[in-house]
Amino acid sequence: MKVVKSKIELKQEIYKAKQENKIIGFVPTMGYLHEGHLSLIREAKKECDYIVVSIFVNPKQFNSEEDLKKYPRDYERDLNLLEKEAIDLVFMPEIEEIYPEDPKIFIDMPSLTNKLCGIHRPGHFQGVLLVVLKLFHLVEPNKAYFGKKDYQQYKIIKQMVKDLDMDIEVIGCPLIREDSGIALSSRNARLSNKGYSDAQLIYRALQIAKKEWLKGETKPETLKEIIKDIIETGSLNRVEYIEIVDPENLENVKEAKEGDIIAVAVYTENVRLIDNIELNREDI
Ligand code: AMP
């Protein structure tokens, strides 16, 4: 496994891989890796023969200095985990490497970014779009892997690639949970024991709402109320939003139907956690 920090070294390695006609699979991350990230890497390994992982805590997608500062980092641990996955290349740039000067370009996709997380985190998705576009230009992957835990992000990236005719297949991978039901997230590391057990109510609430939907309840307001009540039995939980949306355009639905997504954002102990569940007839 090769670790590079500069764009020049990265491009040299990519050039070599392309010369060898390798299919390049790319997994962008912000590090502090967990099984969710590793699941994307394993998916990539099934379909590609040269795997690139980036670790970059992108300041442009944070809308609070404090959140950026507190974002967990452990590069040594990350590299050990990646070594075990036997990937080919890790790109770990410093901030100045990616942003040698403040970029003048501004990328947006209002119909998808002005919803859900985008309402509550102004500038977040513009920062995501910018860094992913830059990384795509540098890595030139054939396929790129994103987790459906960040469902809105996945849809936005997929749309960007389509709109800009980029020759990259964007693949959405399943959300990975702990046995407790908590969606794996690097931010979970910031929770206390009590925060951790309160955070478990998030998925439990989503499951109960899905069961109610399976029994015939289709009114978004009723389902949302059920979820809010359950989540807020945890004294450390504060709901930011609960929405039931169409999986394609992320518009709020008037009646919950098969395939729709219930998406939530909750602050637990001031740590922002997101989760979602698809309304389908699969086991929960
Ligand atoms: P992050 O490091 O949080 O920016 O995440 C990097 C990638 O890993 C993104 O595509 C995320 O959607 C994905 N990811 C993070 N957590 C999970 C999870 N629990 N299950 C599946 N994918 C995840």
Side-chain angles (χ1 to χ4, degrees):
M1 180 178 88
K2 190 142 188 158
V3 182
V4 296
K5 292 191 153 228
S6 71
K7 292 190 266 197
I8 288 190
E9 289 170 289
L10 171 69
K11 285 177 90 79
Q12 281 166 350
E13 295 305 318
I14 297 294
Y15 179 78
K16 280 191 247 166
K18 295 254 175 207
Q19 288 283 303
E20 292 166 22
N21 286 324
K22 296 267 168 82
I23 300 195
I24 300 181
F26 179 38
V27 181
T29 81
M30 297 206 298
Y32 212 77
L33 303 177
H34 50 66
E35 282 296 318
H37 299 111
L38 300 183
S39 73
L40 306 187
I41 293 171
R42 288 171 196 151
E43 202 51 44
K45 283 180 75 174
K46 282 190 213 157
E47 303 176 329
C48 306
D49 41 31
Y50 188 88
I51 310 298
V52 184
V53 174
S54 63
I55 300 178
F56 179 62
V57 182
N58 174 32
K60 295 276 169 208
Q61 71 187 71
F62 284 81
N63 32 14
S64 132
E65 272 298 321
E66 199 200 342
D67 193 27
L68 173 61
K69 215 162 66 200
K70 286 194 176 158
Y71 199 83
R73 296 162 172 90
D74 188 340
Y75 298 123
E76 208 176 299
R77 180 178 156 278
D78 286 348
L79 290 178
N80 281 332
L81 282 172
L82 292 176
E83 193 92 58
K84 288 198 195 102
E85 298 299 318
I87 63 150
D88 298 275
L89 185 63
V90 187
F91 180 46
M92 294 178 69
E94 298 290 339
I95 292 175
E96 300 72 39
E97 186 66 14
I98 296 296
Y99 303 115
E101 57 178 76
D102 205 33
K104 312 274 185 296
I105 193 166
F106 177 77
I107 312 167
D108 202 1
M109 196 182 285
S111 65
L112 292 183
T113 56
N114 292 349
K115 298 193 160 69
L116 304 173
C117 292
I119 297 172
H120 303 274
R121 302 188 70 189
H124 167 69
F125 286 117
Q126 293 76 5
V128 170
L129 281 163
L130 177 63
V131 82
V132 173
L133 185 57
K134 279 166 82 80
L135 289 169
F136 279 0
H137 282 310
L138 294 165
V139 176
E140 296 179 61
N142 300 88
K143 298 175 187 239
Y145 295 80
F146 289 84
K148 288 190 182 166
K149 184 207 159 221
D150 301 274
Y151 188 82
Q152 188 176 13
Q153 168 174 280
Y154 156 65
K155 290 304 286 185
I156 286 171
I157 302 295
K158 212 172 163 66
Q159 190 66 43
M160 173 182 77
V161 162
K162 196 170 165 192
D163 285 352
L164 298 180
D165 292 320
M166 301 180 86
D167 200 6
I168 300 172
E169 190 183 343
V170 174
I171 293 153
C173 301
L175 190 164
I176 306 294
R177 303 181 180 281
E178 288 184 2
D179 292 342
S180 68
I182 286 191
L184 282 166
S185 163
S186 308
R187 287 194 164 90
N188 293 350
R190 288 172 49 196
L191 297 171
S192 69
N193 286 343
K194 161 82 172 128
Y196 217 77
S197 73
D198 279 8
Q200 289 174 26
L201 291 165
I202 301 170
Y203 183 51
R204 216 167 300 154
L206 291 175
Q207 285 175 301
I208 289 168
K210 181 167 168 176
K211 280 192 188 134
E212 287 303 311
W213 173 77
L214 282 166
K215 281 194 247 159
E217 180 56 70
T218 59
K219 277 202 255 9
E221 287 319 315
T222 310
L223 294 168
K224 283 158 66 169
E225 237 162 75
I226 292 171
I227 296 169
K228 188 168 191 298
D229 286 349
I230 296 168
I231 291 178
E232 291 190 342
T233 57
S235 60
L236 297 178
N237 291 339
R238 180 166 59 79
V239 168
E240 184 181 74
Y241 71 74
I242 302 167
E243 301 294 355
I244 305 181
V245 299
D246 179 286
E248 289 312 313
N249 56 23
L250 307 182
E251 299 277 358
N252 291 343
V253 296
K254 295 204 169 64
E255 236 182 299
K257 60 179 185 319
E258 182 131 24
D260 289 345
I261 306 274
I262 310 183
V264 300
V266 176
Y267 278 94
T268 302
E269 282 185 316
N270 286 329
V271 180
R272 189 173 184 279
L273 304 173
I274 58 170
D275 203 340
N276 66 73
I277 198 167
E278 185 187 320
L279 294 177
N280 55 34
R281 277 156 217 288
E282 280 164 25
D283 267 358
I284 38 174

